[in-house]
Amino acid sequence: MNAMNQNLLVELFVEELPPKALKKLGEAFGRELRQGLIDERLVQPESNWTWYATPRRLAVHICNVESQQSARVVREKLLPVSVGLDANNNFTPALIKKMTSKGMNPANYTIDMFERVLDGKNETLFLPWTEDGFALAQVLGDVLERTLAKLPIPKVMTYQMSDGWTDVKFVRPVHSLLVLHGDQVVEGVRTHDNNLILGLQPSRITQGHRFEATNKVITIKNADSYEAQMRDEGAVIASYAARRASIVSQLAYAANQAGQGLQAIEDEALLDEVTALVERPNVLTCQFEAEFLGVPQECLILTMKANQKYFPLLDSAGKLANKFLVVSNITPDDASFVIGGNERVVRPRLADAKFFFDQDRKKTLESRVEGLSKVVYHNKLGTQGERMARVCAIAQAIGQQVGGDALAVQAEQVARLAKTDLLTDMVGEFPELQGIMGGYYARHDGLGEDVAKAIEDHYKPRFAGDQLPRNTVGVVVALADKLETLVGMFGIGNVPTGDKDPFALRRHALGLIRMLIEKDVALGLPELLALSAPVFGDKVTGDADALIDFIYDRLSGSLREQGYFAQEVDAVMALRPERLSDVAKRLEAVRAFAALPESAALASANKRVGNILKKVEGTAAAAVNPALLKETAEIDLHTTLAKLQPESDKAYEQGDYAKSLALLAKLKAPVDAFFEHVMVNADDAALKANRLGLLSMMHAAMNRVADLSKLAN
């Protein structure tokens, strides 16, 4: 590394940053600053870099940063040669005017200084010159300003600079700016309009841990000593990744020490948030009274995680223990006071959960049904009571179709009770527990395990990868719940646009799709929508086709994400299969067909046939009069099709889509011969109609599994 080429360190020392945003802020600060320096020709794209983020700092270390931009050749585009030069190659008045407007003195230039470049159809005059680079200090201010403008700040804060007058906008007040190039402070970092960055002069000064730093003020020696000095003098693990890894390691060790088989609950979001709350983590083990374990563990886990940022401990069976782990930001010689303080803090939270649970069980779910009519669901769709009635009707209809009277009755019962836990104290305090608490209260009411599981599961799947309902009645009610939401919201025009989807309709559609496919529900999508729409009466007026398009679009996108090729997906989805559980088999059949040597020719022929039939006025009847078959090629095609179609149709009806398509692959030779020797648009109208009928028969036979024309290049 030469004197002109040194490692760069930039740090913003700030007041406590929002923990849920810290990781994104840290990554973006490093990424954008580095990219800005690359754009300014001060760093090569392959240079290594490291970003740092703690509750009180954002920083980045970038290797091999030049102290001066490299020179570059700039080409100024002027005018077409025909406009800029006369017949004698002298400057025209137009060129002189153009050069003057760009600050050039035409008297200082000769014709040999210009380049003639073919620009489109015209030869154009370009003037090249070498532009000297600016020093790092002259460029860094603008790079920093652009970097700060691109940060994913959740909410901008306005505060005053030390002069007590000038306003500054940032996520939190910034107290110092550290900028080191090698071991030198980069002086004079300002924007092009001579403003300081966040009103701060660069220095080599920062601060360490609020309580445990050896030195309150830390003087960073050089860009490369930052991480070690922060650790040794500042008691700070500056690297977000290293701090997170330390927490993971300490959690595993502490869990093992707390009891055999215990492990901290896995929660990536909680781990990220806790990493953003501490600068030097210290994991401690705490406990609470065993009597609280009588409360559903989901309640206890949620209150510990959401309210206190604790890590509950589970045994090997996933059962909650009466111990939990705390990630402290201090490491005292005697940790008993920290442990005792956290145990005192959590106790009232657990007591509240126990109180809510005890109170809620004093009323049955059935007794809460009437209360749903007093809770507004949507101003155009009525109350939760009205919504419940619609879900009941849909669930009953689906249950009747899938499992007869018994399932219909049970589905109606579950649907009537499924939303009643919204009126409980526990769900009022922790909305995330809706459904889960309904299951617990159903068991307490003696409603049976099937009903309890179905109530608990009727929101599933709640997110990508979530489990599906565990029993049939749960699937029926979950389908009804999602269908009611989708049909209702589309019916009043609440359609997702761009990245806005306030009612999570995309998630509902994907959940609906997963259940229909993975649970092999014996009902088609159009049939389900037809069952659902009437329950709204005149409340909805939206376009039903828009909803079915939306669901099929979600399915197409999901299939591509699963690794199916776009052509395969397009071929299958073009037919809008009603039974979604058939889609995977159709895709595999199309993939097998595409691997056959005959597939490319048949796909092209299929596309050609489709284009011919589109041009026919009306619809060509898929029927053939054998007496009108004149040419050998059309006779052969008809004979082969008549032989293969029954076998292909039989395989199709049995669900063997791959065999159905493989049989039709034998049409290649007669199809090729037909198009080579037969004129479809014959002058004789009867002959033409007969040939179109033959093509229509072949087209219908070939496109039962998928639209094979989508496979054509």
Side-chain angles (χ1 to χ4, degrees):
M1 192 183 306
N2 57 52
M4 300 289 286
N5 182 316
Q6 301 281 343
N7 296 340
L8 178 73
L9 174 72
V10 179
E11 184 209 64
L12 296 175
F13 181 71
V14 299
E15 293 183 12
E16 272 72 7
L17 291 159
K20 290 184 179 180
L22 182 66
K23 184 179 181 182
K24 288 184 178 179
L25 286 170
E27 287 175 324
F29 182 70
R31 182 181 63 250
E32 298 296 342
L33 183 57
R34 170 180 172 272
Q35 187 58 52
L37 293 173
I38 291 172
D39 295 342
E40 294 291 348
R41 312 188 312 282
L42 288 163
V43 174
Q44 295 301 315
E46 62 271 16
S47 290
N48 292 327
W49 63 291
T50 305
W51 62 274
Y52 302 98
T54 80
R56 300 204 296 161
R57 71 200 74 243
L58 300 174
V60 60
H61 178 274
I62 305 171
C63 294
N64 303 321
V65 177
E66 302 288 347
S67 60
Q68 178 121 0
Q69 289 176 314
S70 57
R72 64 173 177 172
V73 176
V74 178
R75 287 175 172 80
E76 185 74 45
K77 182 178 179 180
L78 295 172
L79 295 171
V81 173
S82 58
V83 178
L85 300 177
D86 62 19
N88 297 318
N89 271 350
N90 294 318
F91 295 177
T92 64
L95 179 58
I96 292 170
K97 182 178 180 181
K98 183 76 170 179
M99 293 174 70
T100 303
S101 70
K102 291 182 174 290
M104 305 173 190
N105 183 353
N108 295 335
Y109 297 89
T110 60
I111 189 63
D112 60 327
M113 294 180 181
F114 291 83
E115 291 180 353
R116 300 186 185 205
V117 179
L118 193 62
D119 187 28
K121 294 183 179 180
N122 298 318
E123 197 176 26
T124 301
L125 287 173
F126 283 79
L127 183 63
W129 77 89
T130 300
E131 179 183 83
D132 293 332
F134 291 100
L136 173 63
Q138 294 174 281
V139 178
L140 186 56
D142 286 330
V143 173
L144 272 167
E145 185 177 51
R146 292 195 297 269
T147 295
L148 298 182
K150 292 178 180 178
L151 294 186
I153 296 174
K155 187 175 182 180
V156 175
M157 180 178 179
T158 301
Y159 62 96
Q160 289 184 333
M161 287 167 46
S162 57
D163 62 12
W165 182 260
T166 309
D167 283 346
V168 181
K169 294 181 183 295
F170 196 55
V171 60
R172 292 290 186 271
V174 183
H175 293 292
S176 66
L177 170 65
L178 185 154
V179 185
L180 288 176
H181 189 225
D183 60 2
Q184 298 297 310
V185 175
V186 181
E187 305 282 0
V189 175
R190 291 176 176 266
T191 64
H192 65 279
D193 48 7
N194 204 36
N195 290 325
L196 292 169
I197 301 301
L198 300 170
L200 300 168
Q201 290 281 3
S203 73
R204 62 172 72 245
I205 301 299
T206 187
Q207 294 183 34
H209 194 286
R210 192 184 293 276
F211 307 111
E212 302 198 347
T214 304
N215 301 316
K216 182 178 180 182
V217 175
I218 302 172
T219 303
I220 303 300
K221 298 170 187 175
N222 57 63
D224 297 341
S225 69
Y226 176 73
E227 190 167 358
Q229 282 190 261
M230 292 308 300
R231 181 189 64 238
D232 299 338
E233 299 178 41
V236 169
I237 301 176
S239 166
Y240 182 95
R243 207 164 59 253
R244 193 179 194 273
S246 174
I247 293 172
V248 170
S249 175
Q250 290 187 56
L251 287 173
Y253 178 79
N256 186 59
Q257 293 295 109
Q260 187 175 7
L262 293 182
Q263 58 183 3
I265 196 165
E266 293 185 10
D267 189 319
E268 295 299 310
L270 176 61
L271 187 55
D272 282 339
E273 188 173 358
V274 170
T275 303
L277 286 168
V278 297
E279 291 200 310
R280 187 172 69 168
N282 177 34
V283 173
L284 302 171
T285 304
C286 307
Q287 64 180 15
F288 57 85
E289 289 78 1
E291 66 184 78
F292 290 120
L293 293 176
V295 178
Q297 69 177 45
E298 292 90 344
C299 309
L300 305 181
I301 289 171
L302 186 58
T303 192
M304 283 191 279
K305 291 198 308 182
N307 295 324
Q308 306 304 136
K309 315 306 175 191
Y310 296 157
F311 286 84
L313 289 173
L314 306 177
D315 65 18
S316 56
K319 186 178 179 182
L320 181 68
N322 66 321
K323 294 182 179 180
F324 60 95
L325 302 180
V326 175
V327 182
S328 174
N329 194 35
I330 58 175
T331 310
D333 294 332
D334 181 2
S336 61
F337 290 103
V338 179
I339 293 171
N342 281 284
E343 290 175 346
R344 284 193 298 275
V345 166
V346 79
R347 194 171 293 116
R349 294 285 188 180
L350 302 183
D352 286 346
K354 184 176 186 303
F355 175 77
F356 294 148
F357 185 55
D358 291 341
Q359 290 297 111
D360 288 341
R361 288 181 296 171
K362 293 178 179 179
K363 292 180 66 176
T364 64
L365 293 180
E366 187 67 48
S367 70
R368 297 180 187 272
V369 171
E370 187 178 344
L372 292 173
S373 62
K374 300 174 184 177
V375 180
V376 174
Y377 168 57
H378 190 283
N379 61 347
K380 292 183 179 179
L381 295 174
T383 65
Q384 283 286 1
E386 291 174 277
R387 179 168 190 250
M388 176 268 292
R390 292 192 294 266
V391 175
C392 282
I394 298 170
Q396 198 168 16
I398 295 173
Q400 188 69 45
Q401 294 284 337
V402 173
D405 292 343
L407 184 57
V409 170
Q410 193 177 38
E412 192 277 336
Q413 178 193 19
V414 171
R416 190 176 70 256
L417 301 177
K419 302 296 181 186
T420 53
D421 68 354
L422 296 175
L423 303 179
T424 64
D425 291 339
M426 188 71 83
V427 174
E429 180 72 13
F430 300 113
E432 302 93 330
L433 296 176
Q434 55 191 283
I436 294 171
M437 295 313 302
Y440 277 104
Y441 298 142
R443 292 182 185 93
H444 181 264
D445 293 348
L447 298 178
E449 192 63 19
D450 282 350
V451 171
K453 285 181 177 178
I455 290 175
E456 181 180 339
D457 291 352
H458 84 280
Y459 288 104
K460 293 179 179 179
R462 297 171 186 249
F463 50 84
D466 190 19
Q467 294 178 338
L468 298 184
R470 289 164 286 180
N471 57 30
T472 303
V473 66
V475 171
V476 169
V477 177
L479 285 171
D481 189 61
K482 287 172 173 53
L483 284 165
E484 193 279 339
T485 300
L486 288 164
V487 173
M489 289 303 166
F490 266 79
I492 59 173
N494 277 347
V495 181
T497 55
D499 60 352
K500 295 182 178 179
D501 187 8
F503 294 95
L505 301 186
R506 294 186 180 96
R507 178 166 55 78
H508 279 83
L510 287 171
L512 177 71
I513 289 165
R514 276 193 62 199
M515 284 188 286
L516 292 177
I517 292 175
E518 295 176 37
K519 293 295 184 178
D520 196 13
V521 177
L523 293 173
L525 180 59
E527 184 180 359
L528 285 168
L529 295 176
L531 285 175
S532 305
V535 304
F536 287 89
D538 59 0
K539 286 185 180 291
V540 300
T541 57
D543 183 3
D545 291 338
L547 175 55
I548 203 162
D549 288 345
F550 176 77
I551 295 172
Y552 278 119
D553 284 347
R554 300 281 76 70
L555 175 55
S556 295
S558 175
L559 292 170
R560 289 187 178 92
E561 288 176 3
Q562 292 172 45
Y564 291 104
F565 297 128
Q567 281 185 313
E568 297 169 349
V569 174
D570 291 344
V572 171
M573 297 310 296
L575 300 188
R576 296 289 181 88
E578 293 188 3
R579 284 282 298 274
L580 300 193
S581 55
D582 276 354
V583 168
K585 286 195 295 183
R586 289 173 185 261
L587 284 165
E588 295 304 326
V590 168
R591 179 165 290 184
F593 175 78
L596 298 174
E598 302 91 345
S599 65
L602 282 172
S604 296
N606 192 60
K607 186 174 183 179
R608 183 176 179 181
V609 170
N611 290 334
I612 291 170
L613 295 175
K614 284 178 186 176
K615 296 176 182 177
V616 177
E617 291 186 13
T619 303
V624 173
N625 181 352
L628 293 177
L629 297 173
K630 304 295 184 185
E631 304 288 343
T632 301
E634 63 182 329
I635 294 170
D636 287 347
L637 177 58
H638 180 257
T639 302
T640 306
L641 183 61
K643 178 182 177 182
L644 293 175
Q645 188 170 0
E647 294 181 67
S648 176
D649 286 349
K650 182 179 179 181
Y652 178 86
E653 298 300 337
Q654 292 173 344
D656 193 346
Y657 301 136
K659 181 179 179 181
S660 179
L661 287 179
L663 286 165
L664 293 173
K666 298 176 183 178
L667 288 169
K668 179 185 181 300
V671 167
D672 288 347
F674 179 88
F675 280 118
E676 185 176 351
H677 299 294
V678 178
M679 174 68 72
V680 176
N681 293 318
D683 293 334
D684 185 322
L687 203 58
K688 176 182 177 181
N690 203 53
R691 288 170 178 171
L692 287 171
L694 177 59
L695 291 181
S696 184
M697 283 178 61
M698 185 185 77
H699 194 260
M702 291 185 68
N703 292 290
R704 292 193 75 183
V705 175
D707 182 352
L708 298 183
S709 69
K710 301 294 183 182
L711 302 179
N713 293 324

